[in-house]
Amino acid sequence: FRELIEILAISRNQKITQPGEESQILELLIQRDGEFQELMKLAVDQGKIHHEMQLLEKVVEKRDNDIQQLQKQLKEAEHILATAVYQAKEKLKSIEKARKG
């Protein structure tokens, strides 16, 4: 944009504009402005998407922490059950020995 404006300013100062040159430059300036507006819209959309992604990443992180806590609790429960099963087997062995004896 700055370059186009500088070209316009120089051509006006030097009075060497070709017929239709100013309108061509103005059309180019309008075209560039349209492209710039599209890029700005895209940037805003990407900003919104980025914000949504950050929110989703926080949700995923929380879910990961919940899963890790559940895995830890399951591991503890598994250990408790394994101990209980072992003790029950030992109890059954001792009952069988007592019956035989």
Side-chain angles (χ1 to χ4, degrees), residues 2-67:
R2 191 174 78 202
E3 289 177 21
L4 291 172
I5 292 171
E6 287 174 359
I7 291 170
L8 271 175
I10 290 170
S11 66
R12 282 193 178 186
N13 289 338
Q14 294 178 352
K15 302 282 186 203
I16 56 168
T17 57
Q18 301 291 326
E21 184 179 6
E22 286 184 3
S23 64
Q24 286 178 340
I25 293 174
L26 187 57
E27 286 177 27
L28 187 57
L29 185 59
I30 291 169
Q31 178 187 350
R32 295 283 187 203
D33 182 58
E35 292 171 2
F36 178 73
Q37 294 301 326
E38 288 178 22
L39 287 174
M40 287 301 294
K41 184 181 179 298
L42 180 63
V44 168
D45 291 345
Q46 287 179 345
K48 289 177 185 176
I49 291 170
H50 179 70
H51 179 69
E52 289 176 22
M53 286 176 60
Q54 286 179 324
L55 293 176
L56 289 173
E57 284 175 356
K58 287 180 183 177
V59 170
V60 167
E61 187 177 326
K62 184 183 180 328
R63 296 288 190 255
D64 282 347
N65 288 336
D66 292 345
I67 289 170

Short mmCIF file of all heavy atoms in Angstrom, two decimals, residues 2-67:
data_model
loop_
_atom_site.label_atom_id
_atom_site.label_comp_id
_atom_site.label_asym_id
_atom_site.label_seq_id
_atom_site.Cartn_x
_atom_site.Cartn_y
_atom_site.Cartn_z
N ARG A 2 1.89 1.21 0.84
CA ARG A 2 2.76 2.37 0.92
C ARG A 2 3.44 2.64 -0.41
O ARG A 2 3.53 3.78 -0.86
CB ARG A 2 3.81 2.14 2.02
CG ARG A 2 4.59 3.41 2.34
CD ARG A 2 5.51 3.21 3.51
NE ARG A 2 6.68 2.47 3.03
CZ ARG A 2 7.48 1.77 3.79
NH1 ARG A 2 7.25 1.66 5.06
NH2 ARG A 2 8.51 1.14 3.28
N GLU A 3 3.87 1.55 -1.06
CA GLU A 3 4.53 1.71 -2.36
C GLU A 3 3.58 2.32 -3.38
O GLU A 3 3.96 3.21 -4.15
CB GLU A 3 5.03 0.36 -2.88
CG GLU A 3 6.21 -0.18 -2.11
CD GLU A 3 6.63 -1.55 -2.60
OE1 GLU A 3 6.30 -1.91 -3.75
OE2 GLU A 3 7.28 -2.26 -1.84
N LEU A 4 2.34 1.85 -3.39
CA LEU A 4 1.36 2.38 -4.34
C LEU A 4 1.09 3.86 -4.08
O LEU A 4 1.01 4.67 -5.01
CB LEU A 4 0.07 1.60 -4.26
CG LEU A 4 0.13 0.17 -4.80
CD1 LEU A 4 -1.16 -0.57 -4.49
CD2 LEU A 4 0.39 0.17 -6.29
N ILE A 5 0.98 4.21 -2.82
CA ILE A 5 0.74 5.62 -2.48
C ILE A 5 1.95 6.47 -2.85
O ILE A 5 1.80 7.57 -3.37
CB ILE A 5 0.39 5.75 -0.98
CG1 ILE A 5 -0.97 5.09 -0.73
CG2 ILE A 5 0.38 7.20 -0.54
CD1 ILE A 5 -1.35 4.95 0.71
N GLU A 6 3.15 5.93 -2.62
CA GLU A 6 4.36 6.67 -3.01
C GLU A 6 4.41 6.87 -4.51
O GLU A 6 4.76 7.94 -5.00
CB GLU A 6 5.61 5.93 -2.52
CG GLU A 6 5.82 6.03 -1.03
CD GLU A 6 6.97 5.16 -0.55
OE1 GLU A 6 7.61 4.46 -1.37
OE2 GLU A 6 7.23 5.18 0.66
N ILE A 7 4.04 5.83 -5.27
CA ILE A 7 4.02 5.95 -6.73
C ILE A 7 3.03 7.03 -7.16
O ILE A 7 3.32 7.86 -8.02
CB ILE A 7 3.68 4.60 -7.39
CG1 ILE A 7 4.84 3.62 -7.20
CG2 ILE A 7 3.37 4.76 -8.87
CD1 ILE A 7 4.51 2.19 -7.59
N LEU A 8 1.87 7.02 -6.54
CA LEU A 8 0.87 8.04 -6.84
C LEU A 8 1.40 9.44 -6.52
O LEU A 8 1.25 10.37 -7.31
CB LEU A 8 -0.42 7.79 -6.05
CG LEU A 8 -1.46 6.90 -6.69
CD1 LEU A 8 -2.61 6.66 -5.72
CD2 LEU A 8 -1.99 7.51 -7.97
N ALA A 9 2.03 9.58 -5.38
CA ALA A 9 2.54 10.88 -4.97
C ALA A 9 3.64 11.36 -5.91
O ALA A 9 3.67 12.52 -6.32
CB ALA A 9 3.07 10.82 -3.54
N ILE A 10 4.53 10.45 -6.26
CA ILE A 10 5.63 10.81 -7.17
C ILE A 10 5.08 11.21 -8.54
O ILE A 10 5.49 12.22 -9.12
CB ILE A 10 6.63 9.64 -7.30
CG1 ILE A 10 7.41 9.46 -5.99
CG2 ILE A 10 7.59 9.87 -8.46
CD1 ILE A 10 8.25 8.19 -5.94
N SER A 11 4.14 10.40 -9.04
CA SER A 11 3.60 10.71 -10.37
C SER A 11 2.84 12.03 -10.36
O SER A 11 2.88 12.78 -11.33
CB SER A 11 2.71 9.57 -10.86
OG SER A 11 1.56 9.47 -10.06
N ARG A 12 2.20 12.38 -9.30
CA ARG A 12 1.49 13.66 -9.23
C ARG A 12 2.49 14.81 -9.14
O ARG A 12 2.30 15.86 -9.74
CB ARG A 12 0.56 13.70 -8.03
CG ARG A 12 -0.70 12.93 -8.30
CD ARG A 12 -1.72 13.21 -7.27
NE ARG A 12 -2.92 12.46 -7.64
CZ ARG A 12 -4.05 12.56 -7.03
NH1 ARG A 12 -4.18 13.37 -6.02
NH2 ARG A 12 -5.08 11.85 -7.42
N ASN A 13 3.55 14.60 -8.35
CA ASN A 13 4.55 15.65 -8.20
C ASN A 13 5.29 15.90 -9.51
O ASN A 13 5.64 17.02 -9.84
CB ASN A 13 5.56 15.31 -7.11
CG ASN A 13 4.95 15.40 -5.72
OD1 ASN A 13 3.94 16.09 -5.52
ND2 ASN A 13 5.55 14.72 -4.76
N GLN A 14 5.55 14.83 -10.24
CA GLN A 14 6.32 14.96 -11.47
C GLN A 14 5.43 15.25 -12.68
O GLN A 14 5.93 15.55 -13.75
CB GLN A 14 7.14 13.69 -11.71
CG GLN A 14 8.20 13.48 -10.65
CD GLN A 14 8.97 12.19 -10.89
OE1 GLN A 14 8.62 11.40 -11.74
NE2 GLN A 14 10.02 11.98 -10.12
N LYS A 15 4.13 15.10 -12.50
CA LYS A 15 3.18 15.38 -13.59
C LYS A 15 3.51 14.58 -14.85
O LYS A 15 3.41 15.08 -15.95
CB LYS A 15 3.16 16.88 -13.94
CG LYS A 15 2.81 17.79 -12.80
CD LYS A 15 1.32 17.77 -12.58
CE LYS A 15 0.99 18.82 -11.51
NZ LYS A 15 -0.22 18.61 -10.85
N ILE A 16 3.96 13.34 -14.64
CA ILE A 16 4.30 12.52 -15.81
C ILE A 16 3.40 11.30 -15.89
O ILE A 16 3.81 10.23 -16.32
CB ILE A 16 5.78 12.07 -15.76
CG1 ILE A 16 6.08 11.34 -14.45
CG2 ILE A 16 6.72 13.21 -15.99
CD1 ILE A 16 7.40 10.62 -14.44
N THR A 17 2.20 11.45 -15.48
CA THR A 17 1.31 10.30 -15.52
C THR A 17 0.85 10.04 -16.94
O THR A 17 0.58 10.94 -17.71
CB THR A 17 0.09 10.54 -14.61
OG1 THR A 17 -0.56 11.72 -15.04
CG2 THR A 17 0.50 10.66 -13.17
N GLN A 18 0.79 8.78 -17.22
CA GLN A 18 0.28 8.33 -18.50
C GLN A 18 -1.25 8.35 -18.43
O GLN A 18 -1.81 8.26 -17.35
CB GLN A 18 0.78 6.91 -18.81
CG GLN A 18 2.28 6.78 -18.84
CD GLN A 18 2.88 7.50 -20.04
OE1 GLN A 18 2.27 7.55 -21.10
NE2 GLN A 18 4.05 8.07 -19.87
N PRO A 19 -1.90 8.43 -19.55
CA PRO A 19 -3.36 8.39 -19.53
C PRO A 19 -3.85 7.08 -18.91
O PRO A 19 -3.42 6.00 -19.30
CB PRO A 19 -3.76 8.47 -21.00
CG PRO A 19 -2.56 8.97 -21.73
CD PRO A 19 -1.37 8.64 -20.88
N GLY A 20 -4.69 7.19 -17.92
CA GLY A 20 -5.24 6.02 -17.25
C GLY A 20 -4.34 5.43 -16.19
O GLY A 20 -4.71 4.47 -15.52
N GLU A 21 -3.15 5.97 -16.01
CA GLU A 21 -2.21 5.41 -15.03
C GLU A 21 -2.75 5.56 -13.62
O GLU A 21 -2.66 4.63 -12.81
CB GLU A 21 -0.84 6.10 -15.15
CG GLU A 21 0.21 5.49 -14.23
CD GLU A 21 1.57 6.16 -14.39
OE1 GLU A 21 1.69 7.16 -15.11
OE2 GLU A 21 2.51 5.65 -13.78
N GLU A 22 -3.32 6.71 -13.32
CA GLU A 22 -3.85 6.93 -11.97
C GLU A 22 -5.00 5.97 -11.68
O GLU A 22 -5.09 5.42 -10.59
CB GLU A 22 -4.30 8.38 -11.80
CG GLU A 22 -3.15 9.33 -11.66
CD GLU A 22 -3.61 10.76 -11.40
OE1 GLU A 22 -4.83 10.99 -11.28
OE2 GLU A 22 -2.75 11.63 -11.30
N SER A 23 -5.86 5.75 -12.67
CA SER A 23 -6.98 4.83 -12.44
C SER A 23 -6.47 3.40 -12.29
O SER A 23 -7.02 2.62 -11.49
CB SER A 23 -8.00 4.93 -13.57
OG SER A 23 -7.44 4.52 -14.79
N GLN A 24 -5.42 3.04 -13.03
CA GLN A 24 -4.85 1.70 -12.88
C GLN A 24 -4.26 1.52 -11.48
O GLN A 24 -4.45 0.49 -10.85
CB GLN A 24 -3.76 1.46 -13.93
CG GLN A 24 -4.27 1.24 -15.32
CD GLN A 24 -3.13 1.06 -16.31
OE1 GLN A 24 -1.99 1.44 -16.04
NE2 GLN A 24 -3.44 0.47 -17.46
N ILE A 25 -3.57 2.55 -11.04
CA ILE A 25 -2.97 2.48 -9.71
C ILE A 25 -4.06 2.43 -8.66
O ILE A 25 -3.98 1.66 -7.69
CB ILE A 25 -2.01 3.68 -9.47
CG1 ILE A 25 -0.80 3.53 -10.40
CG2 ILE A 25 -1.57 3.73 -8.03
CD1 ILE A 25 0.14 4.71 -10.39
N LEU A 26 -5.10 3.20 -8.83
CA LEU A 26 -6.22 3.19 -7.90
C LEU A 26 -6.90 1.82 -7.88
O LEU A 26 -7.22 1.29 -6.81
CB LEU A 26 -7.22 4.29 -8.26
CG LEU A 26 -8.36 4.51 -7.27
CD1 LEU A 26 -7.80 4.84 -5.89
CD2 LEU A 26 -9.27 5.61 -7.75
N GLU A 27 -7.10 1.21 -9.06
CA GLU A 27 -7.68 -0.12 -9.13
C GLU A 27 -6.80 -1.14 -8.43
O GLU A 27 -7.29 -2.02 -7.72
CB GLU A 27 -7.91 -0.52 -10.58
CG GLU A 27 -9.07 0.18 -11.25
CD GLU A 27 -9.19 -0.20 -12.72
OE1 GLU A 27 -8.77 -1.32 -13.08
OE2 GLU A 27 -9.72 0.62 -13.49
N LEU A 28 -5.51 -1.03 -8.63
CA LEU A 28 -4.57 -1.93 -7.96
C LEU A 28 -4.64 -1.74 -6.45
O LEU A 28 -4.62 -2.71 -5.69
CB LEU A 28 -3.15 -1.68 -8.48
CG LEU A 28 -2.07 -2.64 -7.99
CD1 LEU A 28 -2.43 -4.08 -8.34
CD2 LEU A 28 -0.73 -2.29 -8.60
N LEU A 29 -4.75 -0.48 -6.03
CA LEU A 29 -4.86 -0.19 -4.60
C LEU A 29 -6.14 -0.80 -4.03
O LEU A 29 -6.12 -1.41 -2.96
CB LEU A 29 -4.85 1.33 -4.39
CG LEU A 29 -4.83 1.84 -2.96
CD1 LEU A 29 -3.61 1.31 -2.23
CD2 LEU A 29 -4.85 3.35 -2.92
N ILE A 30 -7.24 -0.70 -4.76
CA ILE A 30 -8.51 -1.28 -4.31
C ILE A 30 -8.39 -2.80 -4.25
O ILE A 30 -8.87 -3.45 -3.31
CB ILE A 30 -9.66 -0.83 -5.24
CG1 ILE A 30 -9.93 0.66 -5.04
CG2 ILE A 30 -10.92 -1.64 -4.99
CD1 ILE A 30 -10.86 1.27 -6.08
N GLN A 31 -7.72 -3.38 -5.26
CA GLN A 31 -7.53 -4.84 -5.28
C GLN A 31 -6.70 -5.28 -4.06
O GLN A 31 -7.05 -6.25 -3.40
CB GLN A 31 -6.83 -5.24 -6.57
CG GLN A 31 -6.55 -6.73 -6.67
CD GLN A 31 -5.71 -7.07 -7.89
OE1 GLN A 31 -5.49 -6.23 -8.77
NE2 GLN A 31 -5.24 -8.29 -7.96
N ARG A 32 -5.63 -4.55 -3.81
CA ARG A 32 -4.77 -4.89 -2.66
C ARG A 32 -5.54 -4.76 -1.35
O ARG A 32 -5.37 -5.56 -0.45
CB ARG A 32 -3.53 -3.99 -2.61
CG ARG A 32 -2.60 -4.18 -3.76
CD ARG A 32 -1.80 -5.43 -3.61
NE ARG A 32 -0.80 -5.48 -4.68
CZ ARG A 32 -0.25 -6.57 -5.11
NH1 ARG A 32 -0.55 -7.70 -4.56
NH2 ARG A 32 0.62 -6.54 -6.08
N ASP A 33 -6.40 -3.74 -1.28
CA ASP A 33 -7.20 -3.56 -0.07
C ASP A 33 -8.14 -4.75 0.11
O ASP A 33 -8.30 -5.24 1.23
CB ASP A 33 -8.02 -2.26 -0.15
CG ASP A 33 -8.82 -2.03 1.11
OD1 ASP A 33 -8.22 -1.96 2.18
OD2 ASP A 33 -10.06 -1.93 1.00
N GLY A 34 -8.74 -5.22 -0.98
CA GLY A 34 -9.60 -6.41 -0.90
C GLY A 34 -8.83 -7.62 -0.41
O GLY A 34 -9.32 -8.38 0.44
N GLU A 35 -7.63 -7.81 -0.95
CA GLU A 35 -6.79 -8.93 -0.52
C GLU A 35 -6.44 -8.80 0.95
O GLU A 35 -6.45 -9.78 1.70
CB GLU A 35 -5.52 -9.00 -1.37
CG GLU A 35 -5.76 -9.37 -2.81
CD GLU A 35 -4.52 -9.21 -3.68
OE1 GLU A 35 -3.44 -8.84 -3.15
OE2 GLU A 35 -4.61 -9.46 -4.89
N PHE A 36 -6.13 -7.58 1.36
CA PHE A 36 -5.78 -7.33 2.76
C PHE A 36 -6.98 -7.64 3.66
O PHE A 36 -6.82 -8.27 4.72
CB PHE A 36 -5.34 -5.87 2.94
CG PHE A 36 -5.02 -5.51 4.35
CD1 PHE A 36 -3.86 -5.97 4.95
CD2 PHE A 36 -5.89 -4.73 5.10
CE1 PHE A 36 -3.57 -5.65 6.26
CE2 PHE A 36 -5.61 -4.40 6.41
CZ PHE A 36 -4.44 -4.86 7.00
N GLN A 37 -8.18 -7.23 3.25
CA GLN A 37 -9.38 -7.50 4.05
C GLN A 37 -9.63 -9.00 4.17
O GLN A 37 -10.00 -9.49 5.25
CB GLN A 37 -10.61 -6.81 3.43
CG GLN A 37 -10.55 -5.29 3.45
CD GLN A 37 -10.42 -4.72 4.84
OE1 GLN A 37 -10.94 -5.25 5.81
NE2 GLN A 37 -9.67 -3.63 4.96
N GLU A 38 -9.41 -9.74 3.08
CA GLU A 38 -9.56 -11.20 3.12
C GLU A 38 -8.55 -11.82 4.09
O GLU A 38 -8.89 -12.72 4.85
CB GLU A 38 -9.38 -11.79 1.73
CG GLU A 38 -10.53 -11.52 0.79
CD GLU A 38 -10.30 -12.09 -0.61
OE1 GLU A 38 -9.49 -13.02 -0.73
OE2 GLU A 38 -10.93 -11.59 -1.55
N LEU A 39 -7.32 -11.33 4.03
CA LEU A 39 -6.29 -11.84 4.94
C LEU A 39 -6.62 -11.53 6.39
O LEU A 39 -6.40 -12.35 7.28
CB LEU A 39 -4.91 -11.27 4.58
CG LEU A 39 -4.28 -11.83 3.31
CD1 LEU A 39 -2.99 -11.07 2.98
CD2 LEU A 39 -3.99 -13.31 3.45
N MET A 40 -7.17 -10.35 6.63
CA MET A 40 -7.56 -9.98 7.99
C MET A 40 -8.68 -10.88 8.49
O MET A 40 -8.67 -11.32 9.64
CB MET A 40 -7.99 -8.51 8.05
CG MET A 40 -6.85 -7.53 7.92
SD MET A 40 -5.61 -7.73 9.21
CE MET A 40 -6.54 -7.27 10.64
N LYS A 41 -9.65 -11.17 7.62
CA LYS A 41 -10.75 -12.06 7.99
C LYS A 41 -10.20 -13.45 8.30
O LYS A 41 -10.59 -14.08 9.29
CB LYS A 41 -11.77 -12.13 6.87
CG LYS A 41 -13.00 -12.96 7.20
CD LYS A 41 -13.96 -13.01 6.03
CE LYS A 41 -15.19 -13.85 6.33
NZ LYS A 41 -14.93 -15.24 6.60
N LEU A 42 -9.28 -13.91 7.45
CA LEU A 42 -8.67 -15.21 7.67
C LEU A 42 -7.91 -15.24 9.00
O LEU A 42 -8.00 -16.21 9.76
CB LEU A 42 -7.71 -15.55 6.51
CG LEU A 42 -6.99 -16.89 6.59
CD1 LEU A 42 -7.98 -18.04 6.56
CD2 LEU A 42 -6.00 -17.01 5.44
N ALA A 43 -7.19 -14.16 9.29
CA ALA A 43 -6.44 -14.08 10.55
C ALA A 43 -7.39 -14.13 11.75
O ALA A 43 -7.11 -14.80 12.75
CB ALA A 43 -5.60 -12.80 10.59
N VAL A 44 -8.50 -13.43 11.66
CA VAL A 44 -9.49 -13.44 12.75
C VAL A 44 -10.05 -14.85 12.92
O VAL A 44 -10.16 -15.36 14.04
CB VAL A 44 -10.62 -12.42 12.48
CG1 VAL A 44 -11.78 -12.61 13.44
CG2 VAL A 44 -10.08 -10.99 12.59
N ASP A 45 -10.40 -15.50 11.80
CA ASP A 45 -10.93 -16.87 11.86
C ASP A 45 -9.90 -17.82 12.48
O ASP A 45 -10.24 -18.66 13.31
CB ASP A 45 -11.32 -17.36 10.46
CG ASP A 45 -12.54 -16.63 9.92
OD1 ASP A 45 -13.25 -15.97 10.71
OD2 ASP A 45 -12.78 -16.71 8.69
N GLN A 46 -8.65 -17.68 12.06
CA GLN A 46 -7.61 -18.54 12.61
C GLN A 46 -7.39 -18.27 14.09
O GLN A 46 -7.12 -19.18 14.86
CB GLN A 46 -6.30 -18.36 11.84
CG GLN A 46 -6.35 -19.00 10.46
CD GLN A 46 -5.07 -18.81 9.67
OE1 GLN A 46 -4.21 -17.99 10.02
NE2 GLN A 46 -4.93 -19.57 8.60
N GLY A 47 -7.53 -17.01 14.49
CA GLY A 47 -7.43 -16.67 15.91
C GLY A 47 -8.51 -17.36 16.71
O GLY A 47 -8.26 -17.88 17.81
N LYS A 48 -9.74 -17.36 16.18
CA LYS A 48 -10.84 -18.04 16.87
C LYS A 48 -10.58 -19.53 16.96
O LYS A 48 -10.79 -20.15 18.02
CB LYS A 48 -12.15 -17.80 16.12
CG LYS A 48 -12.67 -16.39 16.24
CD LYS A 48 -13.94 -16.20 15.42
CE LYS A 48 -14.39 -14.74 15.44
NZ LYS A 48 -15.57 -14.53 14.56
N ILE A 49 -10.11 -20.12 15.86
CA ILE A 49 -9.80 -21.55 15.86
C ILE A 49 -8.70 -21.87 16.86
O ILE A 49 -8.77 -22.85 17.61
CB ILE A 49 -9.42 -22.03 14.44
CG1 ILE A 49 -10.65 -21.97 13.52
CG2 ILE A 49 -8.82 -23.43 14.46
CD1 ILE A 49 -10.33 -22.18 12.06
N HIS A 50 -7.68 -21.01 16.89
CA HIS A 50 -6.58 -21.21 17.84
C HIS A 50 -7.09 -21.17 19.27
O HIS A 50 -6.70 -21.99 20.11
CB HIS A 50 -5.50 -20.15 17.61
CG HIS A 50 -4.34 -20.27 18.53
ND1 HIS A 50 -3.43 -21.29 18.44
CD2 HIS A 50 -3.94 -19.51 19.58
CE1 HIS A 50 -2.53 -21.16 19.39
NE2 HIS A 50 -2.82 -20.08 20.10
N HIS A 51 -7.97 -20.23 19.56
CA HIS A 51 -8.54 -20.10 20.90
C HIS A 51 -9.34 -21.36 21.26
O HIS A 51 -9.21 -21.89 22.37
CB HIS A 51 -9.42 -18.86 20.98
CG HIS A 51 -10.05 -18.66 22.32
ND1 HIS A 51 -9.32 -18.33 23.44
CD2 HIS A 51 -11.34 -18.78 22.72
CE1 HIS A 51 -10.14 -18.24 24.48
NE2 HIS A 51 -11.36 -18.50 24.06
N GLU A 52 -10.15 -21.84 20.31
CA GLU A 52 -10.92 -23.07 20.54
C GLU A 52 -10.00 -24.26 20.79
O GLU A 52 -10.26 -25.10 21.65
CB GLU A 52 -11.84 -23.35 19.36
CG GLU A 52 -13.00 -22.39 19.23
CD GLU A 52 -13.84 -22.64 17.99
OE1 GLU A 52 -13.82 -23.76 17.45
OE2 GLU A 52 -14.53 -21.69 17.56
N MET A 53 -8.90 -24.30 20.02
CA MET A 53 -7.95 -25.40 20.19
C MET A 53 -7.32 -25.36 21.59
O MET A 53 -7.13 -26.40 22.22
CB MET A 53 -6.86 -25.34 19.12
CG MET A 53 -7.35 -25.78 17.76
SD MET A 53 -6.10 -25.62 16.45
CE MET A 53 -4.80 -26.67 17.04
N GLN A 54 -7.01 -24.15 22.06
CA GLN A 54 -6.44 -24.03 23.40
C GLN A 54 -7.42 -24.52 24.45
O GLN A 54 -7.04 -25.21 25.40
CB GLN A 54 -6.03 -22.58 23.68
CG GLN A 54 -4.79 -22.14 22.94
CD GLN A 54 -4.44 -20.70 23.21
OE1 GLN A 54 -5.31 -19.84 23.35
NE2 GLN A 54 -3.15 -20.41 23.29
N LEU A 55 -8.70 -24.16 24.29
CA LEU A 55 -9.72 -24.62 25.23
C LEU A 55 -9.83 -26.14 25.21
O LEU A 55 -9.90 -26.79 26.25
CB LEU A 55 -11.08 -23.99 24.92
CG LEU A 55 -11.19 -22.48 25.12
CD1 LEU A 55 -12.56 -21.98 24.67
CD2 LEU A 55 -10.96 -22.10 26.58
N LEU A 56 -9.82 -26.72 23.99
CA LEU A 56 -9.90 -28.17 23.87
C LEU A 56 -8.67 -28.86 24.45
O LEU A 56 -8.78 -29.93 25.04
CB LEU A 56 -10.09 -28.56 22.40
CG LEU A 56 -11.46 -28.22 21.81
CD1 LEU A 56 -11.47 -28.49 20.30
CD2 LEU A 56 -12.57 -28.99 22.49
N GLU A 57 -7.51 -28.24 24.28
CA GLU A 57 -6.29 -28.82 24.86
C GLU A 57 -6.38 -28.86 26.37
O GLU A 57 -5.93 -29.82 27.01
CB GLU A 57 -5.06 -28.02 24.41
CG GLU A 57 -4.65 -28.30 22.98
CD GLU A 57 -3.50 -27.42 22.50
OE1 GLU A 57 -3.06 -26.53 23.25
OE2 GLU A 57 -3.05 -27.62 21.37
N LYS A 58 -6.98 -27.83 26.97
CA LYS A 58 -7.16 -27.82 28.42
C LYS A 58 -8.11 -28.93 28.85
O LYS A 58 -7.89 -29.59 29.87
CB LYS A 58 -7.68 -26.46 28.89
CG LYS A 58 -6.64 -25.37 28.84
CD LYS A 58 -7.20 -24.04 29.30
CE LYS A 58 -6.14 -22.95 29.17
NZ LYS A 58 -6.66 -21.63 29.55
N VAL A 59 -9.18 -29.14 28.07
CA VAL A 59 -10.13 -30.22 28.38
C VAL A 59 -9.43 -31.57 28.27
O VAL A 59 -9.58 -32.43 29.14
CB VAL A 59 -11.36 -30.15 27.44
CG1 VAL A 59 -12.22 -31.39 27.58
CG2 VAL A 59 -12.17 -28.89 27.71
N VAL A 60 -8.64 -31.75 27.21
CA VAL A 60 -7.91 -33.02 27.02
C VAL A 60 -6.93 -33.24 28.17
O VAL A 60 -6.81 -34.35 28.70
CB VAL A 60 -7.17 -33.01 25.66
CG1 VAL A 60 -6.17 -34.16 25.57
CG2 VAL A 60 -8.17 -33.08 24.52
N GLU A 61 -6.25 -32.18 28.57
CA GLU A 61 -5.29 -32.29 29.68
C GLU A 61 -6.01 -32.73 30.97
O GLU A 61 -5.53 -33.59 31.70
CB GLU A 61 -4.59 -30.95 29.89
CG GLU A 61 -3.47 -30.99 30.90
CD GLU A 61 -2.75 -29.65 31.01
OE1 GLU A 61 -2.63 -28.94 29.99
OE2 GLU A 61 -2.33 -29.32 32.13
N LYS A 62 -7.17 -32.14 31.22
CA LYS A 62 -7.94 -32.51 32.42
C LYS A 62 -8.37 -33.97 32.33
O LYS A 62 -8.28 -34.71 33.31
CB LYS A 62 -9.16 -31.61 32.59
CG LYS A 62 -9.92 -31.90 33.87
CD LYS A 62 -11.15 -31.08 34.02
CE LYS A 62 -11.91 -31.35 35.29
NZ LYS A 62 -11.86 -32.68 35.83
N ARG A 63 -8.84 -34.37 31.15
CA ARG A 63 -9.26 -35.77 30.97
C ARG A 63 -8.08 -36.72 31.16
O ARG A 63 -8.22 -37.79 31.74
CB ARG A 63 -9.88 -35.97 29.59
CG ARG A 63 -11.15 -35.21 29.35
CD ARG A 63 -12.32 -35.80 30.13
NE ARG A 63 -13.57 -35.22 29.73
CZ ARG A 63 -14.25 -34.33 30.45
NH1 ARG A 63 -13.80 -33.95 31.62
NH2 ARG A 63 -15.39 -33.84 30.01
N ASP A 64 -6.93 -36.34 30.65
CA ASP A 64 -5.73 -37.16 30.84
C ASP A 64 -5.41 -37.32 32.32
O ASP A 64 -5.09 -38.42 32.78
CB ASP A 64 -4.53 -36.54 30.12
CG ASP A 64 -4.54 -36.80 28.62
OD1 ASP A 64 -5.32 -37.66 28.17
OD2 ASP A 64 -3.75 -36.14 27.91
N ASN A 65 -5.51 -36.22 33.06
CA ASN A 65 -5.26 -36.29 34.51
C ASN A 65 -6.28 -37.19 35.19
O ASN A 65 -5.94 -37.98 36.07
CB ASN A 65 -5.29 -34.89 35.13
CG ASN A 65 -4.08 -34.06 34.75
OD1 ASN A 65 -3.03 -34.60 34.42
ND2 ASN A 65 -4.21 -32.75 34.79
N ASP A 66 -7.56 -37.08 34.77
CA ASP A 66 -8.59 -37.95 35.34
C ASP A 66 -8.28 -39.41 35.05
O ASP A 66 -8.41 -40.28 35.93
CB ASP A 66 -9.97 -37.59 34.76
CG ASP A 66 -10.47 -36.23 35.21
OD1 ASP A 66 -9.90 -35.67 36.18
OD2 ASP A 66 -11.42 -35.71 34.59
N ILE A 67 -7.87 -39.70 33.81
CA ILE A 67 -7.54 -41.08 33.43
C ILE A 67 -6.36 -41.59 34.25
O ILE A 67 -6.36 -42.74 34.73
CB ILE A 67 -7.25 -41.17 31.91
CG1 ILE A 67 -8.55 -40.98 31.13
CG2 ILE A 67 -6.58 -42.49 31.55
CD1 ILE A 67 -8.36 -40.81 29.63
#
